[in-house]
Amino acid sequence: MANFKIKIFGLGDGGAQAITKMISKDLGKNKNVEYIGVGADENILLTSMAKKNIFLNLDRATIYRKVADTLEDAKLIFLVGGLGSSVAKEIIPVILSCAKYINAVVVAFMSSPFVLETSRRKDNAQYTLANLVGNVDSLFTVPSEKLLLSRLNQQQVAVSELFDLADDIFYHGVKLFLEEITDDEESLLVCKWGCANFGYGYGATMLEAITAATNFILFTPDDFANASGVFIRCAAGNTVSRKDIDRATDFIYKLLPDDVKIFSQMYTDDLLGDKVVVTIVLTRKTVDDKNQI
C-alpha cells in the first residue's frame, strides 16, 4: 500500500472544511493518503487543516506545476467542494488534465448552489459540471436544496448546520471508497460509476439499515426504479442472521428492475457495536446532467 498514492482535494472554503473534518476523524490513516486544500489565496489556511495547500493567486504555470508535482504517481484522486465555487471552476480543469496524463482514477463529490445564490455561482456550477461530466470516473452531486428539505421539520435552520450535513455526506462517500481500495489496482474498479448517487443508513438490523439507506435524502423512488447498477455495502458490529439478510434482500429487490446489475459486500466492524450500516451506490439507466444542479 505504500506505493498506492491517494490524493484528496478540498476545493475552496467549503471543500477545505470538508477535508478538515476527514482529517480530524483520521480518515485514510491506514492508507497512503494526502490531503490538499485549494484556495483563492492564503486565507484558505484559516479553514484547511491539510499539510499541503495550493493558492490560486499565483501565475498559471506555477499553479499547474504545483498540481502536477502533487499528483506525481497518484492512483486515485478525490475532489470535494462546491460546484459554484470560483476555486473549483479554476482548478478542476488543471487537476483533470494532470490526472489524465498519469492515468489516475478521479472521484468527485460536489454540492450544487442554493436556488437563492448569485447568478455568478450558478454559472460557475454549470461550467464546472460540464468539465466534470465524462471526465471523471465517478461524479456524485449533492443538491443543496435537498439538504434544506431534510430540515423542513425545524422552524429555523442555520446555514452552518447545512454545511455540516454536506460535510457528513462527503465524509461517508470518501470513506466508502477508501475502505474498498486495496493494494490491487483492480480494486479501483469500484470507483468507476460515472454519474451516480449514493446514500447510507443505520439500524439495529440489516433491514432497518437498508430501509434507512434507501430513504436517504439524496435518493428518489425513481432512482431505484430506473437503476442500471447498484453496489450495496453492509457493515455490522455483530453477526447478522440469515433471516435478517433474506428480509433485507427481499426489500431491496422489490425496489429494483429485473435487469439491474447488483454488487454486494458484507463485513464486520467491531466499532459499530450492535449497529448495522448500509451504503448504497446507484447508477440510473438515463441521467439528465442538467438536473444535477
Side-chain angles (χ1 to χ4, degrees):
M1 183 61 68
N3 294 323
F4 200 100
K5 295 182 180 179
I6 301 169
K7 309 291 183 176
I8 304 177
F9 286 87
L11 311 180
D13 290 334
Q17 179 177 303
I19 65 170
T20 291
K21 186 167 193 171
M22 297 176 197
I23 294 169
S24 66
K25 289 191 172 185
D26 290 328
L27 183 62
K29 65 178 180 179
N30 296 323
K31 300 187 187 300
N32 191 359
V33 171
E34 182 180 30
Y35 290 92
I36 306 99
V38 183
D41 52 38
E42 288 79 1
N43 285 328
I44 194 68
L45 297 174
L46 299 173
T47 311
S48 172
M49 282 179 58
K51 293 181 179 179
K52 177 175 286 188
N53 295 275
I54 296 174
F55 314 125
L56 300 185
N57 58 353
L58 305 170
D59 63 90
R60 186 77 172 179
T62 300
I63 294 171
Y64 197 99
R65 185 172 64 252
K66 285 182 175 292
V67 172
D69 290 345
T70 298
L71 292 181
E72 185 177 4
D73 297 327
K75 296 293 185 182
L76 176 60
I77 301 165
F78 290 96
L79 306 177
V80 180
L83 285 170
S85 164
S86 58
V87 170
K89 177 183 178 181
E90 184 171 345
I91 199 63
I92 281 178
V94 178
I95 296 174
L96 295 183
S97 175
C98 294
K100 184 176 181 180
Y101 182 76
I102 61 175
N103 198 32
V105 172
V106 182
V107 178
F109 289 91
M110 307 294 294
S111 61
S112 65
F114 287 100
V115 170
L116 297 180
E117 292 199 55
T118 64
S119 58
R120 180 181 179 182
R121 286 183 61 83
K122 291 177 182 178
D123 289 343
N124 286 347
Q126 293 285 358
Y127 178 89
T128 301
L129 184 64
N131 269 304
L132 289 168
V133 173
N135 293 315
V136 296
D137 296 277
S138 288
L139 172 59
F140 300 91
T141 55
V142 179
S144 293
E145 302 309 315
K146 286 195 174 184
L147 303 180
L148 186 58
L149 288 172
S150 71
R151 296 295 187 265
L152 279 180
N153 61 330
Q154 299 178 202
Q155 291 185 346
Q156 292 183 330
V157 181
V159 174
S160 59
E161 183 180 348
L162 299 182
F163 287 157
D164 287 341
L165 178 56
D167 291 345
D168 283 338
I169 293 172
F170 292 150
Y171 169 82
H172 279 89
V174 174
K175 180 175 182 287
L176 165 68
F177 291 111
L178 285 182
E179 290 180 343
E180 287 297 312
I181 298 303
T182 67
D183 56 359
D184 184 350
E185 289 198 25
E186 288 189 3
S187 66
L188 288 171
L189 291 174
V190 78
C191 298
K192 299 181 178 183
W193 287 91
C195 293
N197 207 346
F198 91 105
Y200 51 90
Y202 292 82
T205 65
M206 188 174 174
L207 178 59
E208 287 182 8
I210 202 167
T211 301
T214 58
N215 289 317
F216 192 69
I217 58 173
L218 300 185
F219 284 134
T220 67
D222 283 347
D223 286 332
F224 293 93
N226 295 294
S228 60
V230 177
F231 174 49
I232 302 171
R233 190 172 192 264
C234 177
N238 299 314
T239 302
V240 178
S241 69
R242 170 54 61 182
K243 181 179 180 180
D244 191 20
I245 294 174
D246 290 342
R247 291 171 65 194
T249 301
D250 289 342
F251 171 81
I252 192 67
Y253 267 83
K254 289 179 181 178
L255 300 179
L256 299 169
D258 294 336
D259 59 346
V260 68
K261 295 180 180 178
I262 301 178
F263 309 88
S264 62
Q265 186 179 78
M266 190 167 182
Y267 72 103
T268 301
D269 183 348
D270 294 335
L271 296 177
L272 288 173
D274 295 331
K275 293 182 179 179
V276 180
V277 57
V278 170
T279 306
I280 300 173
V281 178
L282 179 149
T283 56
R284 292 176 52 143
K285 296 176 181 177
T286 57
V287 176
D288 185 351
D289 300 331
K290 295 180 180 179
N291 287 336
Q292 295 193 51
I293 293 182

